[in-house]
Every structure is written in structure tokens, then in C-alpha cells.
Amino acid sequence: MNYATIKNCDIANGPGVRVSLFVSGCTHRCKGCFNEVAWDFSYGEPFTQEVADRILEMLAPVYVQGLTLLGGEPFEPQNQPELVKFLRQVKKKYPEKSIWAFSGYLFDRDILAGRLGDPEVTREFVSYLDVLVDGPFIEEKKNLSLRFRGSSNQRIINVPESLKKGEIVLWEDWQGNGRGLKG
């Protein structure tokens, strides 16, 4: 897996201060995508253990609320195994930090349905997430006033609650959950 960018102290891709990892590779090719350069799976640099260790160091300060995965597309089958390996390390070292992911795939139709590579790898990936912003970017539905999304069709999903209830639970409905904005 390659990555396009790592942003330390990112405040745009989830609540609070976060570390954001932009992976390379995306087959959605959404019209008007803000990160078109990351569509190419070979763009950027290889994601090595040294890179993972650097991100783990960036996550250490108490003011860093968590990690956000973007792209490209984190849920592309080629990206999932390496991200799962990395997320195991993040959760082991920082169980209190939230993990967000952005995906053009739909949580219920694509991700939970096992349509993206190895279903066991996908299930493990999902098990580490606190929040998933799902759905492709649709330029005609672009709305700059939306929080943490680019177009109005995208949903901000509370993953643990959705898995527990067996239905989509939106993160906005759980912001006052007593855990800060971990969601």
C-alpha cells in the first residue's frame, strides 16, 4: 500500500486535533474529487512500519483526539490488509483515541455486505472504527456548510452503535454521548 499524505494536527477531518492518513488508490473517481492525485495506487510513498511508527508518535500527545483515514479509498481491497495491521497497533497503543474513516463505499450496501475483498479483513477493519463517513462525493450535492463531509448524500455513521443495533445510527445523534466528541 502507498500513502499520499500524512497530516499532523489536522482539524478538518473529524472532531478535535487529529492525525490524518491519506492512502493512495481509489476506483470511485468521483467528479470534482478534492484529491484526484491519490486515485493512482502507486502514487506517493510505500506505507512501511517506519511510517506507521511515525504516525504512532504523532498520536501520542494528549491533545490529539485520534486518527482519520482518507484517500484515495481506505476500503479498496488492496489497502485493507495493511490498514488493518496498522489499526491493530493504534488500538493497542491508544485505545482511548478515536478512529474515523472516509469511504466512497456505502457502509450497509458495500462494506458490511462483504463486497470489498476478504470479508474477514473488512470486518476486522470495521471493528476498529468509531465513525465512518460513507458515500461517494457527488459534485451536484456539494455543500461547503456541511460538517466533515463534502456532499449532502454522505452520512456520518456511529459504527459501534450501528453494529450493535443492526441499523445505521448517525453520529450527529450521538454527539452528547458523554465521551467528548469521540463518537
Side-chain angles (χ1 to χ4, degrees), residues 60-98:
V62 69
Y63 62 82
V64 175
Q65 195 156 357
L67 172 71
T68 300
L69 303 172
L70 311 96
E73 172 60 66
F75 277 94
E76 292 290 1
Q78 301 91 313
N79 291 334
Q80 288 189 46
E82 194 65 35
L83 287 173
V84 165
K85 181 177 149 189
F86 174 56
L87 291 177
R88 282 185 205 127
Q89 295 174 60
V90 173
K91 274 300 183 187
K92 183 177 181 184
K93 190 163 186 171
Y94 303 111
E96 75 286 359
K97 307 268 185 184
S98 68

Side-chain angles (χ1 to χ4, degrees), residues 70-130:
L70 311 96
E73 172 60 66
F75 277 94
E76 292 290 1
Q78 301 91 313
N79 291 334
Q80 288 189 46
E82 194 65 35
L83 287 173
V84 165
K85 181 177 149 189
F86 174 56
L87 291 177
R88 282 185 205 127
Q89 295 174 60
V90 173
K91 274 300 183 187
K92 183 177 181 184
K93 190 163 186 171
Y94 303 111
E96 75 286 359
K97 307 268 185 184
S98 68
I99 299 176
W100 280 47
F102 286 72
S103 177
Y105 291 108
L106 294 178
F107 185 56
D108 41 356
R109 187 190 77 195
D110 303 315
I111 296 170
L112 292 182
R115 296 182 176 172
L116 307 172
D118 183 337
E120 288 183 33
V121 174
T122 303
R123 271 193 297 278
E124 185 177 355
F125 190 163
V126 168
S127 77
Y128 296 122
L129 299 180
D130 294 290

Side-chain angles (χ1 to χ4, degrees), residues 34 42 90 93 107 140 179:
F34 81 99
S42 62
V90 173
K93 190 163 186 171
F107 185 56
E140 295 75 25
R179 296 177 4 209

Side-chain angles (χ1 to χ4, degrees), residues 27-66:
T27 58
H28 300 298
R29 302 200 173 339
C30 300
K31 179 180 151 194
C33 175
F34 81 99
N35 201 13
E36 192 173 314
V37 69
W39 291 354
D40 182 350
F41 284 89
S42 62
Y43 178 77
E45 301 294 325
F47 188 81
T48 63
Q49 186 58 51
E50 291 76 26
V51 174
D53 290 342
R54 189 168 36 131
I55 295 171
L56 290 168
E57 287 177 28
M58 291 176 187
L59 287 166
V62 69
Y63 62 82
V64 175
Q65 195 156 357

Side-chain angles (χ1 to χ4, degrees), residues 7-20 59 61-70 96-102 130-133 147-149 156-158 171-172 174-177 179-183:
K7 290 187 178 182
N8 194 9
C9 296
D10 185 1
I11 58 169
N13 295 301
V17 176
R18 313 185 68 74
V19 176
S20 293
L59 287 166
V62 69
Y63 62 82
V64 175
Q65 195 156 357
L67 172 71
T68 300
L69 303 172
L70 311 96
E96 75 286 359
K97 307 268 185 184
S98 68
I99 299 176
W100 280 47
F102 286 72
D130 294 290
V131 173
L132 174 71
V133 180
R147 190 172 183 208
F148 307 129
R149 329 176 254 168
I156 305 175
I157 298 170
N158 180 320
W171 176 74
E172 293 96 329
W174 285 84
Q175 288 186 45
N177 62 10
R179 296 177 4 209
L181 287 174
K182 182 180 189 298

